[in-house]
Amino acid sequence: MTTAMEIGIIARENIKPSSPTPAHLKTFKLSLLDQMVPPTYIPLLLFYPTSDHHRARQLKKSLSETLTRFYPFAGTIKDNAFIECNDNGACFIEARVSCLLSHILNEPDHEVLKQLLPINFESPEEGRGCVLHVQANYFKCGAMAIGICLSHKIADAATLTTFIKTWAATASGIGDESVVVPLFNAVPMMPLKDISIAPPAVEIKQHKSVTKRLLFHSSKIAALKAKVTNNSVSAEVEHPTKVETLAALIWKCAMKASRANLGISTRPSALYQNVNIRSRVLPPVPNESIGNFVGSFIARTSEAETELHGLVAELRKGILQFCKNANRVPLFEDISVILQPQIEAIGLLCSDDVDFYACTSWCRFQVYEAADFGWGKPMWVTSANPTCKNMVIFLDTKDGDGIECLVRLTEEDMKVFECDQELLAYASLNPSVFKTG
């Protein structure tokens, strides 16, 4: 069981940019996709085995310098249309943690871990006033965890990684060649032409749900990919990716759990997969571009289809069709390739006749490499709980070969899912962080 953890706040301040934002940059417009994103925060936790208060000063000084480059992150969101770049700064909290780091990482509980974040990232009210919140947590053993919450209104996972990379490079003093120069080019590429074309807001039904953490070692992923390839009759899945393979496995096992609890053998299902569109649209968008550059596609199954290679084939078909559509016309001329899957997803989300799942991947963003502030890579990187049922988040392990997965299902479905022998043949259920490699 996870040890009880108490957090004591010892300092709170706003970190302002080291140089004032020029007058002509005081208003930063949000792009169409930025405006469509709900007013929540992207959470991330970085764990380091050692720390001291000198490092806190180093973090704050380098954050101030970094905010000069990422000046909207020190501002205030106004009317869901723009950020007032008023140099109010990022909220920086320092806290003492009552337990040893090993006590919470031997058997991580994300309900406990979210206490290490600076705000309740699911609440738009709590974080109002700051785009960026940071919390430096000091453990009794000398370890440190940095909790980061960045407004989703201006950032996706790639943006957050770009920011961390620049902040860490500034802190470590390794030279300007490692400091990323952010590009604020989202509005020209995705101008706000007609907000009525955006998907309507919907109220998501709340269900009692629970999150479980899975670890897939590289050898297990290789075995699962071989299984898919050997059973596939389609050339489309001759070389399945790690994420395709694991998404298909989790989708299959989640579907089985849902059908078992409903007492039925067939039921339609769909999986909504987020996509980083930067390299996939016409013209391509630089990796340093700041904002929400996220598209999606929906893979569907027939009522009876649950074969692993068939699900992988559906996922591959979805991404290939998305890329084909995205390269048909420039993004600034037709953004429907981004909006249409979102509109379809809302219909599926509101349906009681379809099992609907959503998946997002942080893999290949190289967060471990980005987050070296001068005292080594983090020992563990994780996100917070998925916010709704039937959500899946993938993250790389530290060695880059394995994958960790956070799966949120209803309590009833999770009881069946976590006992699925096909799943457990490849996944370790919430192992100690010290054994993840």
Side-chain angles (χ1 to χ4, degrees):
M1 296 294 293
T2 300
T3 298
M5 182 175 71
E6 295 181 0
I7 307 288
I9 304 299
I10 57 178
R12 185 192 300 266
E13 63 180 299
N14 272 23
I15 306 299
K16 299 179 181 294
S18 57
S19 299
T21 300
H24 70 284
L25 298 177
K26 287 293 186 179
T27 300
F28 179 84
K29 293 182 179 180
L30 298 176
S31 74
L32 173 59
L33 292 187
D34 291 335
Q35 295 187 48
M36 287 165 46
V37 170
T40 56
Y41 285 77
I42 305 174
L44 194 68
L45 284 166
L46 311 169
F47 292 86
Y48 300 87
T50 59
S51 70
D52 54 46
H53 288 286
H54 169 71
R55 290 183 179 176
R57 291 193 296 271
Q58 186 179 355
L59 283 173
K60 288 187 280 188
K61 181 178 183 296
S62 56
L63 177 58
S64 176
E65 295 170 4
T66 304
L67 287 174
T68 298
R69 295 177 182 269
F70 290 78
Y71 61 93
F73 292 10
T76 306
I77 299 172
K78 297 288 187 179
D79 302 323
N80 194 38
F82 66 95
I83 294 177
E84 182 183 346
C85 301
N86 49 23
D87 294 340
N88 276 354
C91 179
F92 193 98
I93 297 171
E94 294 180 77
R96 287 196 180 97
V97 186
S98 64
C99 65
L100 304 178
L101 181 61
S102 59
H103 289 171
I104 63 170
L105 296 193
N106 277 328
E107 190 178 345
D109 181 344
H110 277 73
E111 287 298 322
V112 173
L113 294 178
K114 69 182 183 182
Q115 297 177 57
L116 302 172
L117 293 168
I119 60 170
N120 176 2
F121 68 95
E122 300 174 37
S123 170
E125 290 79 17
E126 184 168 336
R128 187 167 293 165
C130 276
V131 174
L132 174 66
H133 298 256
V134 178
Q135 182 165 315
N137 302 277
Y138 311 117
F139 289 83
K140 290 174 64 176
C141 56
M144 177 173 62
I146 302 175
I148 302 171
C149 289
L150 178 60
S151 175
H152 211 336
K153 299 301 297 184
I154 192 176
D156 55 12
T159 293
L160 177 53
T161 305
T162 296
F163 170 75
I164 291 172
K165 183 177 181 179
T166 298
W167 181 16
T170 303
S172 61
I174 58 177
D176 290 341
E177 66 275 3
S178 298
V179 174
V180 177
V181 178
L183 298 176
F184 298 103
N185 57 350
V187 169
M189 298 199 67
M190 295 176 286
L192 182 58
K193 295 181 178 179
D194 182 5
I195 194 64
S196 66
I197 66 176
V202 296
E203 185 174 345
I204 300 175
K205 296 178 183 178
Q206 297 299 315
H207 300 265
K208 286 187 176 181
S209 52
V210 61
T211 298
K212 296 291 183 178
R213 168 177 165 262
L214 305 174
L215 172 65
F216 295 89
H217 289 289
S218 58
S219 59
K220 296 294 186 178
I221 297 174
L224 189 61
K225 290 172 66 175
K227 178 181 178 181
V228 170
T229 302
N230 292 338
N231 290 334
S232 175
V233 295
S234 171
E236 287 183 347
V237 292
E238 185 177 353
H239 300 290
T241 67
K242 292 191 291 186
V243 170
E244 283 174 338
T245 306
L246 297 184
L249 176 65
I250 291 170
W251 187 14
K252 175 181 180 178
C253 295
M255 278 193 292
K256 286 194 293 181
S258 173
R259 294 173 182 181
N261 283 324
L262 292 171
I264 57 178
S265 58
T266 62
R267 180 173 166 85
S269 183
L271 188 144
Y272 177 87
Q273 174 73 60
N274 282 324
V275 178
N276 179 2
I277 67 173
R278 286 170 175 79
S279 63
R280 294 183 168 98
V281 293
L282 185 68
V285 180
N287 289 331
E288 300 78 18
S289 295
I290 303 304
N292 287 281
F293 288 89
V294 179
S296 57
F297 66 87
I298 299 174
R300 305 168 188 263
T301 70
S302 64
E303 294 192 6
E305 174 66 78
T306 57
E307 292 298 326
L308 192 63
H309 61 271
L311 298 178
V312 172
E314 289 300 318
L315 291 167
R316 178 62 62 84
K317 184 166 64 177
I319 186 62
L320 290 176
Q321 186 61 50
F322 175 86
C323 293
K324 179 180 178 181
N325 293 339
N327 279 276
R328 190 169 291 160
V329 293
L331 186 62
F332 62 84
E333 290 183 9
D334 184 6
I335 201 170
S336 63
V337 65
I338 308 297
L339 301 184
Q340 190 57 41
Q342 297 184 15
I343 295 171
E344 292 178 23
I346 289 173
L348 293 168
L349 186 63
C350 297
S351 173
D352 293 325
D353 301 320
V354 178
D355 283 330
F356 181 75
Y357 302 91
C359 177
T360 189
S361 173
W362 285 56
C363 295
R364 300 174 67 181
F365 284 137
Q366 298 183 317
V367 182
Y368 283 93
E369 289 74 16
D372 184 348
F373 289 86
W375 51 80
K377 299 177 185 178
M379 60 182 293
W380 189 45
V381 172
T382 190
S383 184
N385 272 343
T387 53
C388 302
K389 71 158 189 169
N390 294 355
M391 287 187 66
V392 182
I393 299 175
F394 291 113
L395 304 103
D396 285 319
T397 54
K398 185 176 182 179
D399 62 12
D401 295 326
I403 288 181
E404 290 198 14
C405 180
L406 301 176
V407 182
R408 191 169 187 89
L409 301 174
T410 64
E411 292 180 348
E412 297 78 10
D413 286 358
M414 185 60 79
K415 289 177 182 177
V416 179
F417 176 85
E418 66 182 345
C419 296
D420 190 299
Q421 293 305 303
E422 183 177 9
L423 175 70
L424 296 178
Y426 299 97
S428 300
L429 186 59
N430 200 29
S432 168
V433 169
F434 303 102
K435 298 179 181 179
T436 59

